[in-house]
Amino acid sequence: MRIAVVSDVHANLAAVEAVLRHAEGERALDAVWSLGDLVGYGPQPSDCLALLRGQRFHSVAGNHDLAASAVIDTEDFNPAAAAANAWNASQLDEDERSFLRGLPRTLELEAMQLAHGSLRDPVWEYLITIPGALAQFERMTARFSFVGHTHVPLVFIEGGEGGEGGESAFELDYEQPEAGSVRLLGEQRLILNPGSVGQPRDGDPRAAYAIYDTAAQTVVFHRVEYEIARTQAAMVAAELPRSLIERLSHGR
Ligand code: ZN
């Protein structure tokens, strides 16, 4: 199976369209998996849901999905995120709200465990430290897990160089194409974060996603250019917070 793994789409239709076009351009996809935060921040929540639900699609719940469907409140969101989430919620119909409400917190598919934040705290944890990775490895029953939420592509390797328990982490360097491909070999356990489709925060404004090939046993990380100005114009029309509009240009 050839699976596109997307995270933090955040209602950015131009970005998710570009990602699916890129992924299908190489070879047909068998499925699309989402690591949550389908909505929030961006201007086209319903269009993004319709496009993704039209695929063979599985998703876990993110904090923005649960807030937009009134499962959790936005007390812990910053003001711009809360305002954009309320606007996103106002755009959804009852079917879309109930779809978001029904998303599972974790999934296990094709030897991969999926969570938005982490297995320990699927909705809220930012998995960016070695201690956090150790807690995740402890809870993993599969050899591999995918997480999102941080909007920064990252791979944790169990038993790698350095780190407390011999774990290591690396950010992906897209200038070196071979560094964007991870082979799933041997006994080594990995935690993989594909980065964000709709609001990257690693200084690279291009949409980020990964392709998991179950036959080749590889995960290949990609960056895709998209029409940022198209999303920004829709955000201006929706009167979404200026800071959220501007950050898309900088990938921050
Ligand atoms: Zn997010």
Side-chain angles (χ1 to χ4, degrees):
M1 282 181 75
R2 192 163 175 276
I3 301 148
V5 185
V6 302
S7 190
D8 299 276
V9 169
H10 283 302
N12 187 336
L13 184 65
V16 74
E17 281 179 351
V19 159
L20 291 181
R21 214 179 301 127
H22 182 269
E24 293 276 2
E26 292 182 15
R27 198 149 48 82
L29 286 172
D30 297 297
V32 178
W33 295 351
S34 148
L35 306 172
D37 279 5
L38 293 162
V39 303
Y41 291 129
Q44 286 134 318
S46 297
D47 292 336
C48 288
L49 288 174
L51 177 61
L52 289 167
R53 292 171 75 186
Q55 320 285 318
R56 279 188 54 189
F57 182 60
H58 293 282
S59 184
V60 292
N63 49 314
H64 286 260
D65 304 319
L66 297 175
S69 56
V71 177
I72 61 173
D73 61 36
T74 53
E75 205 176 71
D76 293 329
F77 285 48
N78 68 51
N85 194 276
W87 182 85
N88 268 250
S90 76
Q91 303 300 302
L92 300 174
D93 66 23
E94 187 42 46
D95 171 65
E96 291 162 339
R97 271 194 295 275
S98 88
F99 172 77
L100 293 177
R101 220 176 280 134
L103 292 175
R105 304 298 168 105
T106 62
L107 276 174
E108 183 166 346
L109 301 163
E110 304 289 335
M112 286 278 179
Q113 285 174 285
L114 277 51
H116 182 59
S118 70
L119 294 172
R120 169 166 73 179
D121 183 354
V123 179
W124 288 110
E125 183 172 7
Y126 288 91
L127 220 173
I128 46 170
T129 65
I130 297 289
L134 283 169
Q136 176 86 350
F137 282 125
E138 265 170 38
R139 283 166 178 77
M140 280 165 58
T141 51
R143 271 177 55 212
F144 312 108
S145 64
F146 270 115
V147 297
H149 192 43
T150 65
H151 298 209
V152 175
L154 193 67
V155 178
F156 289 99
I157 305 170
E158 191 178 40
E161 307 272 312
E164 293 168 26
E167 279 67 21
S168 64
F170 60 93
E171 289 194 42
L172 291 141
D173 180 357
Y174 296 94
E175 301 309 312
Q176 298 177 290
E178 71 280 5
S181 176
V182 177
R183 292 191 66 76
L184 309 175
L185 293 172
E187 298 299 300
Q188 199 163 50
R189 301 202 303 161
L190 302 171
I191 304 163
L192 308 120
N193 186 327
S196 169
V197 170
Q199 194 200 75
R201 293 180 191 162
D202 61 347
D204 183 340
R206 295 175 298 171
Y209 82 104
I211 290 185
Y212 173 29
D213 187 323
T214 61
Q217 282 291 289
T218 55
V219 174
V220 181
F221 292 73
H222 294 286
R223 291 314 271 260
V224 182
E225 307 240 8
Y226 74 96
E227 296 167 79
I228 294 173
R230 193 180 123 203
T231 296
Q232 289 173 320
M235 291 175 81
V236 168
E239 297 179 23
L240 287 163
R242 181 139 297 275
S243 61
L244 300 181
I245 299 171
E246 283 167 3
R247 70 188 301 175
L248 293 181
S249 299
H250 310 294
R252 289 282 178 205

